Amino acid sequence: MDRPNIVFLFSDQQRWDTVSSYGEPLGASFGLTPVLDRLAREGTLFERAFTCQPVCGPARACLQTGRYPTEVGCPVNDRMLPASAKGIARFLHDAGYETAYVGKWHLASHHSGEGRPDSVDHRTAAVPPELRGGYEDYWMAADVLEFTSHGYGGFVFDRNGQKREFTGYRADAVTDYALDYLRQPKEKPFFLFVSYLEPHFQNDTGRHEGPAGSKDRFRDFAVPADLEGLPGDWQEEMPDYLGCCESLDRNVGRIVETLKERGFYEHDPLLYIGSRLPFSHPQCGIQAFLS
């Protein structure tokens, strides 16, 4: 059997009920995710999957290595994944795959800013090759993407550690980098991991930053049962949050179309889409077997 190409698309803090195919009012009332819905019909929709760990860095350490974060020294945020921790990219690279990473990494800083002897801070600096988890062939990422960018504009670093600035909407820019990789000539099977920040809030503003027009477009949202009657700013934030989710679906569509243009879609069987979520919500997962 030919070795399949693998594309893993990863969002950050996306509620499962924003995906229309789950039938919940929040996403279904807007038909928020038509691309994901189509992939769910073509492939497998997971209804009982849960995030491996509720905190960002530890969840990513689990996902990259298949080990509990306490085993690899990443039990909380701001802990560096050891260069010796062999994960999925290194296993696939050893098996003859190209490995490519785009977006947020969040595994290359350690007690940053604390003045400790073991402090390592790559939050706004280029991640050195030995701390990229085995993604060797293409890299367009930032360790903490919300520190190097906003909803519109910012920068990441390329494989050579050079700053690469962008001016458009962040989810679109991350997708542009992924498409750049997919359009390059391929002599080997490839593993592409695309890690979006959306719909995570923007740290320095304390709010979600959806595409322009989100507040008007999604202002009349269906209130989820777990939020109804609760205090807080979720009423104000939800329209931009939903705008982030809609932008991700649109960008998944761009990736699918490029896979089709390159002849990968019909012959390569694995596209996985998942999200890191708070522990109280199931993890949405769509695995599309495209052969």
Side-chain angles (χ1 to χ4, degrees), residues 33-237:
T33 55
V35 176
L36 294 182
D37 299 343
R38 185 176 71 248
L39 292 175
R41 291 192 299 269
E42 294 176 354
T44 301
L45 179 69
F46 292 97
E47 297 183 350
R48 293 293 184 271
F50 295 84
T51 187
C52 52
Q53 222 275 0
V55 181
C56 189
R60 293 167 185 273
C62 289
L63 185 58
Q64 294 297 329
T65 66
R67 299 168 63 187
Y68 287 112
T70 50
E71 292 185 271
V72 292
C74 300
V76 295
N77 279 338
D78 203 27
R79 298 296 184 269
M80 183 174 64
L81 185 67
S84 60
K86 188 172 182 178
I88 187 171
R90 287 198 174 97
F91 281 109
L92 286 170
H93 198 274
D94 290 349
Y97 275 71
E98 284 188 5
T99 51
Y101 195 94
V102 175
K104 177 178 177 177
W105 180 238
H106 210 189
L107 291 171
S109 297
H110 196 73
H111 296 287
S112 54
E114 297 182 16
R116 296 170 41 140
D118 61 347
S119 178
V120 177
D121 190 352
H122 293 113
R123 291 175 298 177
T124 60
V127 176
E130 65 271 16
L131 296 181
R132 297 176 188 170
Y135 292 92
E136 299 187 13
D137 299 290
Y138 186 89
W139 178 269
M140 200 70 75
D143 190 37
V144 187
L145 187 58
E146 60 267 44
F147 282 19
T148 68
S149 63
H150 291 87
Y152 284 90
F155 63 89
V156 295
F157 296 93
D158 65 18
R159 183 171 179 265
N160 298 317
Q162 299 299 306
K163 182 185 290 188
R164 302 287 292 270
E165 296 184 354
F166 63 88
T167 57
Y169 190 62
R170 179 169 46 206
D172 297 340
V174 168
T175 304
D176 288 342
Y177 297 135
L179 300 186
D180 172 66
Y181 172 71
L182 290 174
R183 288 167 178 156
Q184 293 178 9
K186 301 285 184 290
E187 296 182 356
K188 299 178 180 180
F190 63 85
F191 171 50
L192 169 62
F193 196 110
V194 183
S195 176
Y196 294 102
L197 178 62
E198 282 72 25
H200 192 290
F201 64 92
Q202 182 63 38
N203 291 49
D204 61 346
T205 63
R207 57 175 295 268
H208 298 277
E209 296 187 352
S214 294
K215 287 191 181 300
D216 288 333
R217 186 176 178 188
F218 299 109
R219 62 185 174 185
D220 297 322
F221 60 88
V223 176
D226 64 327
L227 292 178
E228 190 169 8
L230 293 182
D233 62 357
W234 57 269
Q235 298 98 328
E236 178 183 353
E237 292 298 311

